[in-house]
Structures are given as C-alpha cells and as structure tokens.
Amino acid sequence: MLLEIMGHKEQIEKLKKIVKTDKVANAYIFEGMSGIGKCTVAKEFAKALLCLSEGSRPCNEYIACKTFEDSNNFILLAPEGNVIKVDSIRALKEELMLKPITSDRKVAIINDAECMNEQAQNALLKILEEPPKYVTIILITSNKEKLLYTIKSRCISFQFQPLKEEELRAYFEEPIEKELLEYARGSIGAIVNAKENHATEAIAKWVQAFRQESLIELMRDVNEVREEKYVKDHLQDFLEYLLYLYYKDMKEKKQDTTGAIAIVEETRNHILRNANVDIALDRMVINLWKWRRECKRLLV
Ligand SMILES: [Zn+2]
C-alpha cells in the first residue's frame, strides 16, 4: 500500500495499522504545509478503507478499488473560490446519511478544511457529534488553528512534515535547481506548479535581485520580477522564500538578519491585510537596502 507516495513513512505505517486492525475512527485531521502529499495519502487511505478484499488493502484489483473515486462511497469536498460554505456541508451530511451500498463504509475528504467558514464548521460539528458508524471524515489542512477547538477535539490528528531534499530530488527525474528546491521548502506541489508555469527563472532572479549592491540595480531587478504573473499570483510564497533566505544567512553565515526579517514580515502582513501591493513592495525594497547599508556601516 502507498508505495508510490514520497516520504511520510511514519504516518503511512500508522495508517496501515488502522486499516489492518480495522480500528477506524470517525474523523481524522491531516495537517501540514500545502503540496506535500496529504491529499494523496488521504485518498490512498480512503481507498484502503473502502476496499472489500480479504487480503491486504487496497487490493487495487477489484472494482471497488478501481472505481473508488467515482463511487458514492467516496466524497471529496474542496473550497469553491476560497470558501467552503454551509450548504456544501449540509449536502455532505445528506449524502453521508445514506448507507453505503457497494462497500461497508463511506469516506469523505474535506480538502483545505480551514476554508470552512464558521457556519460550515458548526454544521460539520453536528455531523461529528453523531456520525453514522460507517462514516470516516478526513480533514486536510495547512492551518489547523482556523478549525474550531470542538472539531479538533473530535478528530485524530496526523502531522505531516515537509519532504526532505533527497526525497524531492528522488521524486523528479530531472535535476532540480537549488533555488527552486529552496523556494518549494519540501512541497512537491510547489515544484510541479512552478515548473508548469516556467517560473524557475523568476525564482532564481528573485534571489539574485536581493543580492544586488546598489539600490538602482536592486529596484530594477525586483521590479522586473514582480511584473511576472506567476510572481504576482504567488507573492506570499516569494516573501516566505525571502524570509527563508534571511534565516539561512543568520544560521549559516552567522549574520544578524533580524532587521531584514522584521521588514519582510511587516510587508507580508501589510499585503495580507490588503494594503497596496506596489507601495508595500517599494517600501520593503528601500527599507531592506537601508538595513543593509546600516549593517555595513556597523562593520567598518
Ligand atoms: Zn480493493
């Protein structure tokens, strides 16, 4: 089972044991950063739970396994836009109330579960309070903090870690650029997405820009990169990456980068709170440059 999945060995062992001993809970939370394969693992777990084979599950042989995603024993719910609304959870409830026919279970995966608004979470809570015993719900989230405590307390949690560099390298056949690996920080999904959108160059350029000595060159390079659609669409990821680089400098080069980290974090928060992106970025670039000039002055 689950052989083709990269990493997550410990979690997979535990899930195998659940399948084998048939001690299945009504609700699980799979938590960890996005793009590391939580949903892939959850689907494989669902398939194993729905499989009717007497031998090891999933058998991947009989119809229940081959068509499990299309069967009405399996439901995958995901946000529409950026929310999961109460209506979706109510519809889910109705479906779950109908007993399974071709399996002895029903499994629902709620992807990006943190996108459930409060009403939706309360509706889900109602299901979790009195679930039919054949039901298993798997909540997948990169931000467990956004889930109600009352939901979390009814679920068994699995924490998924970012993949290791060698696991990422092993997953892809072709060599992966160092910058792309750093940018992805353990997420296969982020690498696939960046490659599909030909963003590798933009990522490398983003790093290079912040290494520029003069303010003019720094601004020129940053302006060039930030005009690209991929960068605009993933600006928070690019800022996260910048933070990573400053933390790395602190750790590896023993540089005091706390000033730079504060500047980038402030920018990130401003943008999250819907500040004007262009103004926020301009200010960040100038402040980072000033910070660096100040560092040099202290060294002399
Ligand atoms: Zn099967």
Side-chain angles (χ1 to χ4, degrees):
M1 172 196 181
L2 303 170
L3 266 183
E4 66 281 37
I5 295 167
M6 267 301 150
H8 312 307
K9 291 209 169 57
E10 199 186 306
Q11 291 83 349
I12 289 169
E13 279 312 310
K14 282 187 193 159
L15 293 170
K16 274 184 179 174
K17 209 171 163 192
I18 291 172
V19 173
K20 210 171 173 181
T21 57
D22 237 352
K23 286 186 179 148
V24 189
N26 285 121
Y28 296 92
I29 291 177
F30 286 10
E31 193 207 13
M33 69 183 280
S34 53
I36 57 176
K38 298 186 297 295
C39 198
T40 315
V41 175
K43 277 188 186 169
E44 204 57 23
F45 181 47
K47 196 207 270 180
L49 291 177
L50 294 173
C51 174
L52 295 169
S53 165
E54 298 284 326
S56 69
R57 294 182 288 160
C59 66
N60 288 320
E61 236 176 88
Y62 297 110
I63 193 93
C65 277
K66 288 199 163 151
T67 61
F68 96 97
E69 278 193 71
D70 303 318
S71 81
N72 51 11
N73 304 319
F74 176 75
I75 302 147
L76 177 64
L77 199 67
E80 287 172 49
N82 282 322
V83 293
I84 299 175
K85 290 185 186 157
V86 67
D87 289 346
S88 309
I89 301 295
R90 283 188 190 135
L92 172 71
K93 187 180 179 183
E94 273 175 34
E95 273 202 65
L96 290 176
M97 287 304 158
L98 302 171
K99 284 189 179 156
I101 304 167
T102 52
S103 177
D104 46 14
R105 289 185 186 281
K106 278 199 167 187
V107 181
I109 294 178
I110 303 182
N111 206 1
D112 298 322
E114 72 277 5
C115 295
M116 283 186 288
N117 60 24
E118 209 182 322
Q119 268 184 307
Q121 291 204 34
N122 280 315
L124 178 70
L125 186 59
K126 293 253 165 63
I127 307 179
L128 294 180
E129 278 167 353
E130 276 177 282
K133 61 178 190 309
Y134 54 81
V135 163
T136 297
I137 298 175
I138 307 166
L139 304 176
I140 295 181
T141 181
S142 54
N143 190 355
K144 200 169 135 183
E145 296 312 306
K146 286 195 178 165
L147 297 176
L148 294 175
Y149 173 75
T150 39
I151 288 184
K152 287 186 274 192
S153 67
R154 282 177 171 78
C155 299
I156 293 177
S157 275
F158 279 80
Q159 180 73 42
F160 287 74
Q161 305 302 330
L163 297 177
K164 296 186 191 84
E165 210 175 292
E166 61 268 25
E167 290 171 334
L168 288 175
R169 285 191 197 279
Y171 183 86
F172 295 93
E173 280 171 1
E174 69 274 26
I176 308 291
E177 292 80 356
K178 178 175 150 282
E179 290 87 359
L180 182 52
L181 270 178
E182 287 180 340
Y183 167 82
R185 273 156 291 130
S187 163
I188 287 179
I191 295 180
V192 172
N193 194 275
K195 276 181 162 293
E196 276 174 4
N197 288 286
H198 311 287
T200 314
E201 217 172 292
I203 291 166
K205 190 137 200 196
W206 177 258
V207 186
Q208 188 198 314
F210 289 95
R211 305 263 185 239
Q212 289 289 13
E213 287 294 322
S214 81
L215 180 60
I216 294 167
E217 282 166 350
L218 170 62
M219 290 198 94
R220 184 199 60 204
D221 283 3
V222 172
N223 285 343
E224 214 173 285
V225 186
R226 82 196 217 193
E227 280 312 307
E228 294 202 21
K229 188 176 179 304
Y230 188 84
V231 181
K232 281 185 181 167
D233 290 347
H234 296 82
L235 191 57
Q236 287 295 337
D237 292 336
F238 277 78
L239 293 173
E240 285 278 343
Y241 181 27
L242 196 54
L243 280 173
Y244 164 85
L245 292 171
Y246 285 121
Y247 276 112
K248 195 174 144 202
D249 282 350
M250 185 172 345
K251 209 173 145 198
E252 289 174 8
K253 296 181 189 163
K254 306 282 175 231
Q255 244 179 41
D256 181 9
T257 52
T258 38
I261 289 167
I263 294 166
V264 181
E265 271 182 348
E266 196 192 4
T267 310
R268 206 177 53 155
N269 292 336
H270 275 313
I271 293 173
L272 278 176
R273 277 187 254 114
N274 293 323
N276 181 302
V277 173
D278 286 327
I279 295 175
L281 282 181
D282 283 343
R283 193 180 295 160
M284 178 182 87
V285 168
I286 291 170
N287 284 339
L288 282 175
W289 181 77
K290 280 186 189 160
W291 163 79
R292 211 167 47 189
R293 195 183 53 178
E294 186 67 13
C295 291
K296 272 192 195 140
R297 200 179 56 82
L298 290 172
L299 283 175
V300 178

